[in-house]
Amino acid sequence: MFWKKKSLGYKLACELPLNTPIRDLSFTVMDTEATGFSVGAGDRLIEIGAVHVDGLSVTDHIFQTYVNPQRAIPEKITELTGIQKEDVADAPAAVEAIEAFCHYVEQCGSNGWVGHYLAFDLLVLKKELQREKYSFNEPPAFDTLDLIGFISPSWDMRDLEHYARSFGTNIYERHSAVGDALTTAHLFVELLRLLESQGKTTLNDLMVVTKKDGSFLSL
């Protein structure tokens, strides 16, 4: 018997003309924590954190929720993130937490999502939704690694903290979803400023630099 995916139905991006100045855009910079890296198998989401970037400013509009993974958190993950079973025991299930996050994005009127190695965070959300037969329309997504690759193409892929130090931006609590989202947000704003200094000033320029075609992908 075939089943039909249920859509979350949130408006996760406000579409704008491609000639819109980067300075007029807003973004949801997000990060996730999970019980491990095998999210296609047994590892589960345990935290979502995000911060709203408006224009070229990091705002104080922050989102954070723990998530009940419905399984044990490995000791090494607790050591890394500081997240313990007590933190997630009464936390919402994954779909409920993702819905709360999507509601936050919708309220912010974001033009796209941003992350550092964002593909992993999107995969975490996608797998959690697939487990419950949900889907959502992925908004335009921009990875700081792509921007760094354009600005400094000779650099190898490094840790978020390494890049923040290299570009002289703020560093917050590491391996905390909110902390990493804030660190990424400040790095992202600095990268946008550097793009502007190279004459890349519009949404179209940003999409070309990050190799986006403007289409919305259904997850």
Side-chain angles (χ1 to χ4, degrees):
M1 181 176 182
F2 294 99
W3 49 265
K4 184 178 181 180
K5 283 186 177 180
K6 300 169 284 187
S7 175
L8 292 184
Y10 290 92
K11 186 177 176 63
L12 299 180
C14 297
E15 297 181 61
L16 291 172
L18 291 176
N19 63 354
T20 302
I22 288 174
R23 287 177 173 267
D24 293 343
L25 301 174
S26 66
F27 303 91
T28 299
V29 185
M30 57 93 66
D31 185 69
T32 62
E33 299 296 335
T35 59
F37 296 104
S38 300
V39 294
D43 284 317
R44 302 294 301 272
L45 178 66
I46 55 175
E47 186 183 17
I48 307 172
V51 59
H52 184 60
V53 167
D54 189 14
L56 297 181
S57 298
V58 180
T59 75
D60 59 1
H61 194 181
I62 290 172
F63 174 88
Q64 188 276 340
T65 182
Y66 291 119
V67 182
N68 190 328
Q70 300 176 345
R71 57 152 289 179
I73 300 175
E75 184 177 343
K76 63 181 181 181
I77 296 298
T78 293
E79 292 174 357
L80 181 68
T81 66
I83 300 173
Q84 306 180 60
K85 62 180 182 180
E86 292 82 7
D87 297 315
V88 302
D90 297 321
V95 170
E96 184 182 348
I98 294 170
E99 283 197 287
F101 169 65
C102 290
H103 181 64
Y104 162 83
V105 174
E106 190 175 59
Q107 282 189 318
C108 288
S110 173
N111 299 120
W113 293 3
V114 176
H116 188 77
Y117 190 34
L118 184 60
F120 176 76
D121 300 301
L122 292 177
L123 181 61
V124 172
L125 300 187
K126 176 181 176 180
K127 291 300 182 182
E128 291 291 359
L129 292 174
Q130 283 181 342
R131 288 186 179 97
E132 301 299 327
K133 300 180 175 59
Y134 275 94
S135 67
F136 73 106
N137 290 323
E138 181 184 341
F142 305 99
D143 198 315
T144 49
L145 287 170
D146 292 328
L147 294 176
I148 292 167
F150 177 83
I151 293 168
S152 301
S154 62
W155 286 17
D156 297 328
M157 180 175 168
R158 300 289 183 87
D159 177 75
L160 172 61
E161 185 173 345
H162 170 86
Y163 290 125
R165 292 187 187 282
S166 297
F167 286 97
T169 56
N170 295 352
I171 298 171
Y172 296 82
E173 183 181 358
R174 292 305 323 280
H175 305 296
S176 149
V178 169
D180 282 349
L182 283 166
T183 300
T184 301
H186 284 274
L187 173 62
F188 178 63
V189 166
E190 176 62 20
L191 294 172
L192 292 183
R193 294 182 187 277
L194 290 172
L195 279 183
E196 283 195 333
S197 72
Q198 296 185 20
K200 307 297 184 182
T201 61
T202 68
L203 173 59
N204 184 67
D205 292 330
L206 180 60
M207 296 181 79
V208 170
V209 165
T210 56
K211 303 177 180 63
K212 303 299 179 186
D213 62 8
S215 62
F216 283 68
L217 303 177
S218 179
L219 292 184

